[in-house]
Amino acid sequence: MRDTGIFTEQVKPGPGISPASSARMKIEQAHERSAAYGIPRTAMPDYGPLGKSDLADLLAQNRVLHQHALPVMENLYEQIVNTHNMVILTDVHGLIIHALGDADFLEKADRVALSPGVAWSESSKGTNAIGTAIAEKSPTIVHADQHYLEANSFLTCSAAPIFDVMGSVIGVLDVTGDQHNFHKHTMALVRMSAQMIENQLFASSFQDAIKLSFHSRPEFLGTLMEGIACFDSEGRFLSASRSGLFQLGLSMSALQAHTFSSLFGLPVSALHAHYRTATPGLLTLCLHNGVRVYAKSQNLKPQPAAARHVLDNARLPKVVEAKSKLSSLHYLDTGDEQVARAIDKLQRVLGRDISILVTGETGTGKELLAQAVHNDSPRKSSPFVAVNCASIPETLIESELFGYEDGAFTGARKKGNIGKILQANGGTLFLDEIGDMPLNLQARLLRVLQERMVTPLGSNKSIPVNLALICATNRNLREMITKGEFRDDLYYRLNGLVVRLPPLRERSDLDVVISKVLATESEGRQYRLAPEVMQVFHAHGWPGNFRQLTNLLRTAIVMTDADMEIRLEHLAEDFLEDLDLTTAPLVLPRSTKPASLDALEMDAIQLALQQHQGNVTAAAKALGVSRNTIYRKQASWKNE
């Protein structure tokens, strides 16, 4: 089979497998299935459509799908008109329900019966984009002689399955044309259109439910990337869109056991109360996995008056703040030597055309640092545009980064979308979790960085762009390069200056950090930590870093008494369970009066050993250090 060079958008490869290799494997497996059906490759297939009555039954059975897909198909066709292509909708069995096409291509299409009532399953036509997309449950490109039947080798096809509200395939959207007119952007347009159909089906299926739209970035609300989850009036989970499943990080079956409260940490009654205010803004909610999202809701039902009195006094999430208070590198320099060195390096390259790569564990403040770099740079009056490559579904990240031509793919937007790269023109583009960017898009990004030109999807025009680039990752990009998961040429283009943000457990300025977080979250009030809480904080390994610390303090502030002192009983139960403090009383090994850093370090290690019954391995894991560190510290204290 010849390599046509167009495989990169079909499937997400596994570790160590390139997109091209993964796509070839997919085609080869489809051919094996086709051979097992006993179809000769040289055979002339049966292109006979269903009879009139059977075709009427097909349309009736798929009425809702057809109803919601038709306007999207017409919109998609406007994007590819006069390109010798046609747009096709099929049911779950590959039977064509509806087709739109260029007049000059329809004659060719008639030869292979791309018309309503004809079956294009793998069992009927062998490997083809429609049938293989159904079999694989994933977007599929089948080009030229990749088709199993030689009679179909003049075609190039890009197909995406359409899923219903419970995650089952109910149909396929496909663009088919002459192989000589293949365009690399076609699959992206098909995927976007399929998701539009899914979202419309989703909205129509839960008209009386509570619909929550959410995303980790507020600017994505109202776009194809927003997650949507539906709940009944009592907060029981009903369903979620594909983007919603992606952001929640759970399967549809796993979500059936959840409620609004267990997923977002807020009673559904508080949601009702928020929307009884005169001008309800966006909500900030925390997902079950600790990720903060921005949300808005629709179709809320009024609550009984008895519940209203209680809820009016409830503490509700804060409305989105327009700008972070942590706005400069100077503010972030809180006394830790590692952070100070990183800030010094960053200050030296401000205003220079040098790419910056920030590494560090999840939650160490990489985006905060990028925003501070922008605010201290000569570009501070221009846009700062942040894109989390891990939070955008792979099917949509290309259109969001590079934009797309006139076509209103987000409903009201009838002039297309310029994309995040062009939005950052003149300012700073921050690509968070760059290690999660698909390989095929890494190639496009590299080309943009080298040529300083962007070509939107569906366009033949390249637009000049001038921006500063900051990337961040919690992954080891060098290891990914050796596994074929990250392009080495892109890596060397990104790492003009590499700085590492240390995890919270390695920082020497924890007290200052806690003070600043409390000041940010306390709305002008002066909260303080009880000595035993501060000692526990110094002993903890903080696997979630600033994100974990901030969420913990935010909740503790709500739980405090009138004296505004945060004590152990005000901390979240899961945090205390991690420390094994819920079933045994805390015995402080030293005085709680102010002590030196060495004394606090000794206290932390002794406390961890006490909690784990002398098990050095368990204590080291809880503290986030190695066993050798504990042995070395104990030896040094004995020698003092």
Side-chain angles (χ1 to χ4, degrees):
M1 184 185 305
R2 62 188 176 89
D3 187 351
T4 62
I6 62 166
F7 300 95
T8 55
E9 289 187 301
Q10 291 191 51
V11 291
K12 187 173 183 179
I17 301 176
S18 70
S21 298
S22 181
R24 278 192 292 268
M25 290 170 56
K26 184 176 181 179
I27 296 296
E28 289 169 2
Q29 291 168 358
H31 278 252
E32 290 174 2
R33 289 194 298 267
S34 302
Y37 288 127
I39 306 172
R41 298 199 65 172
T42 57
M44 288 303 297
D46 177 14
Y47 293 134
L50 295 174
K52 189 173 181 180
S53 62
D54 289 335
L55 182 58
D57 289 342
L58 174 68
L59 292 173
Q61 292 165 7
N62 294 275
R63 179 184 56 81
V64 175
L65 172 63
H66 183 219
Q67 173 188 340
H68 290 288
L70 186 56
V72 178
M73 292 176 67
E74 292 172 347
N75 189 31
L76 175 58
Y77 179 62
E78 289 178 6
Q79 311 306 307
I80 63 170
V81 68
N82 298 324
T83 60
H84 308 284
N85 281 281
M86 61 191 307
V87 181
I88 297 168
L89 176 71
T90 80
D91 74 351
V92 67
H93 305 295
L95 285 165
I96 296 178
I97 299 170
H98 188 71
L100 299 170
D102 291 345
D104 60 349
F105 183 67
L106 287 176
E107 183 179 347
K108 289 184 178 180
D110 283 341
R111 285 192 287 157
V112 290
L114 291 169
S115 57
V118 177
W120 280 83
S121 62
E122 279 191 343
S123 61
S124 173
K125 302 295 187 295
T127 305
N128 71 90
I130 293 170
T132 303
I134 293 172
E136 296 284 345
K137 295 183 173 61
S138 67
T140 301
I141 295 173
V142 177
H143 180 70
D145 58 10
Q146 292 174 344
H147 286 86
Y148 187 78
L149 293 178
E150 294 178 1
N152 296 333
S153 61
F154 75 96
L155 300 173
T156 184
C157 310
S158 302
I162 301 168
F163 294 85
D164 67 11
V165 296
M166 298 311 294
S168 300
V169 176
I170 57 169
V172 171
L173 185 67
D174 170 81
V175 169
T176 289
D178 188 288
Q179 63 153 316
H180 299 297
N181 296 302
F182 172 80
H183 199 289
K184 61 183 179 181
H185 298 326
T186 302
M187 177 53 91
L189 296 175
V190 172
R191 283 173 157 178
M192 291 169 61
S193 299
Q195 185 150 354
M196 286 185 68
I197 296 170
E198 289 177 10
N199 285 357
Q200 291 178 20
L201 287 168
F202 192 91
S204 67
S205 298
F206 296 101
Q207 295 183 9
D208 297 325
I210 297 173
K211 296 188 186 72
L212 190 78
S213 301
F214 58 94
H215 199 280
S216 59
R217 306 201 65 82
E219 64 268 26
F220 289 162
L221 292 175
T223 73
L224 284 177
M225 277 172 300
E226 71 176 2
I228 306 174
C230 286
F231 305 86
D232 67 15
S233 59
E234 297 180 358
R236 286 186 290 265
F237 174 83
L238 297 175
S239 185
S241 65
R242 267 205 288 170
S243 182
L245 295 175
F246 178 85
Q247 292 179 59
L248 290 168
L250 294 170
S251 66
M252 188 72 76
S253 58
L255 284 166
Q256 298 303 315
H258 278 275
T259 63
F260 179 88
S261 178
S262 65
L263 289 173
F264 296 101
L266 185 74
V268 71
S269 53
L271 188 66
H272 286 280
H274 177 74
Y275 279 91
R276 282 200 299 273
T277 60
T279 56
L282 295 182
L283 294 165
T284 55
L285 303 174
C286 189
L287 297 184
H288 64 98
N289 54 13
V291 174
R292 183 185 291 193
V293 296
Y294 302 91
K296 61 182 180 180
S297 185
Q298 307 170 44
N299 295 23
L300 289 173
K301 295 180 179 180
Q303 292 294 302
R308 190 174 304 134
H309 175 73
V310 176
L311 293 170
D312 286 342
N313 296 318
R315 183 182 293 268
L316 293 171
K318 295 184 295 183
V319 175
V320 176
E321 296 179 3
K323 206 166 187 179
S324 171
K325 299 176 182 178
L326 311 179
S327 58
S328 71
L329 290 169
H330 173 73
Y331 187 96
L332 299 181
D333 189 356
T334 52
D336 181 80
E337 185 177 348
Q338 298 179 76
V339 176
R341 285 198 302 267
I343 288 176
D344 179 64
K345 292 178 182 178
L346 290 167
Q347 288 173 331
R348 292 172 186 268
V349 302
L350 289 175
R352 311 290 182 89
D353 187 19
I354 296 176
S355 299
I356 297 170
L357 178 62
V358 186
T359 66
E361 294 178 6
T362 297
T364 50
K366 297 186 286 293
E367 182 172 350
L368 202 62
L369 183 70
Q371 178 75 69
V373 169
H374 171 77
N375 291 344
D376 286 354
S377 77
R379 297 175 181 266
K380 61 184 178 182
S381 59
S382 298
F384 174 84
V385 178
V387 179
N388 189 314
C389 300
S391 68
I392 307 175
E394 185 180 344
T395 57
L396 297 175
I397 188 171
E398 183 173 17
S399 63
E400 284 301 314
L401 273 180
F402 303 102
Y404 49 84
E405 273 287 76
D406 221 3
F409 274 94
T410 53
R413 296 181 182 176
K414 295 189 178 297
K415 295 184 179 180
N417 179 16
I418 65 171
K420 298 301 180 185
I421 292 177
L422 285 176
Q423 286 179 30
N425 194 18
T428 301
L429 177 68
F430 175 57
L431 297 179
D432 198 6
E433 307 298 354
I434 186 68
D436 291 279
M437 177 174 283
L439 272 171
N440 59 304
L441 298 191
Q442 292 177 27
R444 285 203 67 187
L445 176 63
L446 177 62
R447 189 159 58 249
V448 169
L449 298 179
Q450 290 174 337
E451 300 174 359
R452 299 289 177 166
M453 304 284 283
V454 177
T455 305
L457 294 177
S459 173
N460 295 319
K461 297 178 182 179
S462 296
I463 305 171
V465 63
N466 173 23
L467 52 78
L469 180 68
I470 305 176
C471 296
T473 184
N474 61 2
R475 305 178 69 178
N476 188 322
L477 297 184
R478 287 183 177 273
E479 286 185 2
M480 293 180 67
I481 290 171
T482 62
K483 296 177 181 178
E485 297 173 352
F486 199 86
R487 294 180 64 102
D488 55 353
D489 47 4
L490 178 60
Y491 173 76
Y492 293 115
R493 182 64 181 79
L494 298 180
N495 73 340
L497 172 66
V498 180
V499 294
R500 173 182 177 268
L501 281 179
L504 203 52
R505 62 182 174 275
E506 292 181 11
R507 294 182 60 146
S508 59
D509 57 350
L510 181 61
D511 290 19
V512 179
V513 168
I514 291 171
S515 297
K516 291 211 170 191
V517 173
L518 282 174
T520 302
E521 297 293 332
S522 62
E523 301 177 350
R525 306 181 73 185
Q526 294 185 345
Y527 292 89
R528 63 186 181 277
L529 300 188
E532 65 270 20
V533 173
M534 182 64 80
Q535 200 157 12
V536 166
F537 278 15
H538 275 281
H540 190 50
W542 297 109
N545 293 297
F546 281 93
R547 187 174 293 121
Q548 182 186 12
L549 174 64
T550 301
N551 286 334
L552 185 69
L553 290 176
R554 183 182 298 121
T555 303
I557 285 172
V558 176
M559 299 298 175
T560 52
D561 301 321
D563 60 2
M564 291 187 291
E565 181 179 68
I566 296 174
R567 295 184 289 276
L568 287 175
E569 62 262 29
H570 301 139
L571 302 181
E573 289 186 6
D574 58 344
F575 177 78
L576 296 177
E577 287 171 359
D578 288 343
L579 293 175
D580 197 23
L581 294 177
T582 52
T583 56
L586 176 67
V587 179
L588 295 178
R590 299 176 61 88
S591 168
T592 58
K593 66 181 179 180
S596 67
L597 184 60
D598 285 340
L600 287 173
E601 196 174 55
M602 184 189 300
D603 289 347
I605 291 177
Q606 290 178 348
L607 178 60
L609 288 170
Q610 174 189 327
Q611 292 167 350
H612 295 280
Q613 293 78 47
N615 187 321
V616 175
T617 300
K621 185 177 181 181
L623 293 172
V625 299
S626 67
R627 291 181 300 169
N628 289 338
T629 298
I630 293 182
Y631 290 135
R632 187 173 64 252
K633 294 291 183 182
Q634 288 176 318
S636 67
W637 294 330
K638 289 177 183 177
N639 293 331
E640 291 180 354

